[in-house]
Amino acid sequence: MTDRHTVSRRRFLAAGSGIAAALATPTLAQAATPLQIAGPGRPLPPLAGRSTQTLLGRGKARRAVICGGGWGGITAAKYLRQQVPHLEVVLLERNAVFFSCPMSNKWLVDVVDTQYLTKDYLKISEELGYRFIQTEILEIERDTKRVVTAAGAIDYDYLILSPGIRYNYEAWFGNDLRAAEATRARFPAAYIPSAEHFRLKQAIHDFKGGDLVMTLPPPPQRCPPSPYERACLIASLFKAKKLNARVVILDHKPDVMPIGPGFKAAFQELYKDIVTYVPNAHVKEVDPFNKRIKTAAGDFSFDHAILMAPHQAGDLAWKAGVVGQSFQGGPDGWAAVDPLFLHAEDDKDVYVIGDAVGYVSPQFSFYPKAGHVANQHARIVAHYIAEREADREPGYRLPDNLCFMMVSTQPQEAISVKFDYKVNAMGIIEQTQIDFNERKPETVGEDFEWARGIYEDMFG
Ligand SMILES: Cc1cc2nc3c(=O)[nH]c(=O)nc-3n(C[C@H](O)[C@H](O)[C@H](O)COP(=O)(O)OP(=O)(O)OC[C@H]3O[C@@H](n4cnc5c(N)ncnc54)[C@H](O)[C@@H]3O)c2cc1C
């Protein structure tokens, strides 16, 4: 972080080009990726490369394999290493570099630099003493307790899935892969840690004027307040550059939520001529070639767009066969877990954490899909595994959530929301939500303090 949390654009471009190359895009990641393995006392092995080979042989130690090294996975690796020292802990991740989605909206408009968002997985794993393997996970075989990767197969005693989300472009395009790929390539959502963020940043900074349209996915979605934060910060950039430009938010929902009054005050008071908010804009058709969108609230054309298709649990939840069923009978898109103990409904040795977690409560349905919650889930599941390894029956633990959203850069001001959870007398998890709608410079300080503390928790 630099003085007043602001960095120059030249620095972003210089630092970013290497990092962008180290982050796979979700589709390109299917191709073979270079393999990195680290761990205490273990030299780098020769490059393996066939999924039929064994990735790591078994020693005497029982083994936890963590799939996905985002906010949930990287925290789980650290806490398992600390709390269950006799367990072998292996983290599998497709990217060489950790890239944080939290704080990335601020990075889009140069409030923080690329270094602030990124960490070298290999270095962190060596410091914290777990094994990191950079590879694409291809299959998860729960019957044989094996994970098959592009570099070989690995078996497990405990499996932790922290796959994050995937974009459900099929909901818009059916089998039209050409339209889906064009949308992903030209108008990236940048909601998954990948090179998409760099493409979006370039597009925003190169924008010369006109309409930038954002489609917001229907709930449940990753970090519900963050698209409004993104809209405010892009609007602040356009305002500072005195562009003749609009940010048009096409929201599936009937109103801005959470922190609705806070965001709406920012739209009205700071960006009256720039931000246009359109509620009930359920997307019906997207044409990325002619730059047009049809919604339930009208038709729109655009000069650039951030096209966010509906979200679902990441591919790994589907590969593991833990995705739940909807009342209509099809997949509901999210992992079916025990609400209190976070293991797959039908498998106590498979835990799911973070955004992929499905329905947990009749009161609020889903935990907020937030890095803060993923971090807490990881710590909770590490505790459950530690208790089981000590032959004790774990008692349940619940997360909380805290989310800060910057709405203005000049001066820097933010709003926030806080969630708490408890189990009521009926055994149902209950959520309490408090919105802090007044924008304040002090809240920006709290945001950076939150980020400092949680990065320290994951990487320190
Ligand atoms: C713009 C934006 C702003 C946000 N702001 C906040 C905020 O202020 N506060 C907050 O708490 N949260 C915020 N979030 C939400 C936060 O990013 C997510 O909730 C969090 O990342 C979820 O963690 P996760 O571990 O479930 O998934 P992720 O962090 O996405 O991790 C999933 C990992 O799995 C890996 N992976 C997936 N499939 C494979 C495979 N087949 N092989 C190998 N690896 C694989 C991915 O590469 C990725 O590293 C924000 C998100 C966005 C997009």
Side-chain angles (χ1 to χ4, degrees):
M1 188 171 62
T2 54
D3 277 354
R4 298 218 26 86
H5 319 310
T6 306
V7 294
S8 81
R9 178 136 191 274
R10 207 174 303 128
R11 250 180 92 193
F12 142 66
L13 291 171
S17 52
I19 304 282
L23 289 164
T25 61
T27 39
L28 292 179
Q30 306 303 327
T33 48
L35 175 71
Q36 298 187 52
I37 301 187
R42 183 170 292 236
L44 286 174
L47 284 188
R50 292 224 316 279
S51 52
T52 47
Q53 291 175 338
T54 300
L55 185 55
L56 278 182
R58 275 312 272 263
K60 287 196 186 117
R62 286 161 63 71
R63 179 186 279 164
V65 173
I66 302 162
C67 294
W71 275 61
I74 202 157
T75 312
K78 173 183 159 173
Y79 274 84
L80 273 179
R81 175 79 279 140
Q82 279 182 356
Q83 294 187 5
V84 204
H86 66 265
L87 205 63
E88 185 185 4
V89 178
V90 182
L91 175 63
L92 305 176
E93 163 61 44
R94 63 159 65 105
N95 291 323
V97 174
F98 172 90
F99 182 93
S100 175
C101 284
M103 311 304 274
S104 68
N105 284 334
K106 288 151 215 125
W107 166 85
L108 284 177
V109 295
D110 296 332
V111 173
V112 296
D113 62 14
T114 305
Q115 236 184 339
Y116 184 79
L117 295 185
T118 52
K119 292 276 178 202
D120 178 340
Y121 277 115
L122 206 54
K123 188 163 172 289
I124 298 297
S125 66
E126 280 167 351
E127 283 167 10
L128 296 179
Y130 54 81
R131 252 179 249 294
F132 166 71
I133 305 181
Q134 187 201 351
T135 185
E136 180 71 20
I137 300 160
L138 303 176
E139 298 297 337
I140 292 170
E141 300 172 354
R142 285 201 282 140
D143 49 348
T144 54
K145 297 187 107 175
R146 264 185 5 142
V147 177
V148 180
T149 80
I154 180 168
D155 56 6
Y156 64 82
D157 297 294
Y158 299 104
L159 186 68
I160 299 182
L161 299 172
S162 193
I165 57 158
R166 72 180 190 188
Y167 308 130
N168 180 16
Y169 285 114
E170 290 81 358
W172 285 354
F173 301 115
N175 292 329
D176 186 350
L177 292 182
R178 185 170 158 265
E181 273 310 312
T183 301
R184 188 199 293 274
R186 296 179 199 183
F187 308 113
Y191 257 67
I192 292 175
S194 71
E196 286 185 6
H197 291 266
F198 289 83
R199 292 213 300 280
L200 174 60
K201 182 160 184 169
Q202 194 76 55
I204 291 167
H205 284 268
D206 289 349
F207 199 63
K208 297 285 181 291
D211 281 356
L212 186 148
V213 167
M214 296 173 65
T215 61
L216 270 52
Q221 71 195 93
R222 168 165 280 186
C223 196
S226 61
Y228 308 120
E229 177 190 56
R230 191 179 273 184
C232 287
L233 295 183
I234 294 174
S236 77
L237 180 75
F238 291 172
K239 188 174 171 181
K241 289 171 98 174
K242 299 193 170 44
L243 285 188
N244 184 13
R246 286 200 312 164
V247 178
V248 181
I249 305 170
L250 302 182
D251 197 347
H252 180 97
K253 300 196 290 284
D255 206 350
V256 179
M257 57 187 93
I259 347 176
F263 279 118
K264 285 195 285 192
F267 298 163
Q268 268 297 312
E269 293 161 20
L270 306 177
Y271 312 116
K272 194 170 184 338
D273 300 325
I274 304 179
V275 171
T276 301
Y277 176 74
V278 184
N280 298 310
H282 166 70
V283 172
K284 291 178 165 173
E285 259 180 66
V286 175
D287 179 349
F289 306 106
N290 296 299
K291 300 187 183 175
R292 286 200 202 103
I293 301 170
K294 286 190 178 170
T295 79
D299 300 348
F300 299 83
S301 55
F302 57 83
D303 297 285
H304 189 68
I306 302 173
L307 297 179
M308 297 185 216
H311 294 168
Q312 295 181 327
D315 282 343
L316 299 177
W318 301 77
K319 289 179 197 289
V322 296
V323 171
Q325 295 287 306
S326 68
F327 291 121
Q328 292 78 32
D332 72 1
W334 303 98
V337 295
D338 179 287
L340 296 180
F341 291 98
L342 297 174
H343 57 71
E345 256 176 6
D346 58 352
D347 192 336
K348 284 197 166 169
D349 294 334
V350 174
Y351 291 93
V352 185
I353 59 176
D355 288 5
V357 168
Y359 181 91
V360 291
S361 164
Q363 188 223 359
F364 59 93
S365 301
F366 297 84
Y367 283 124
K369 301 196 178 295
H372 187 103
V373 173
N375 167 273
Q376 299 238 330
H377 278 167
R379 294 166 56 159
I380 289 167
V381 162
H383 166 75
Y384 291 161
I385 292 176
E387 289 293 278
R388 286 177 61 182
E389 282 293 293
D391 283 331
R392 288 189 293 263
E393 194 63 37
Y396 74 80
R397 291 185 176 184
L398 298 177
D400 62 7
N401 188 31
L402 196 54
C403 204
F404 300 91
M405 295 283 125
M406 188 180 269
V407 291
S408 163
T409 54
Q410 292 173 351
Q412 291 185 353
E413 290 175 334
I415 56 181
S416 64
V417 58
K418 185 178 181 335
F419 298 87
D420 283 302
Y421 299 92
K422 66 170 191 202
V423 175
N424 70 16
M426 318 264 291
I428 288 168
I429 307 176
E430 268 183 16
Q431 173 179 275
T432 316
Q433 175 181 342
I434 306 174
D435 289 358
F436 299 92
N437 289 295
E438 190 186 340
R439 28 172 218 280
K440 292 183 184 170
E442 302 89 275
T443 311
V444 175
E446 288 169 32
D447 188 6
F448 279 94
E449 188 47 36
W450 168 81
R452 192 202 56 71
I454 208 157
Y455 287 157
E456 174 68 21
D457 190 63
M458 293 191 287
F459 307 118

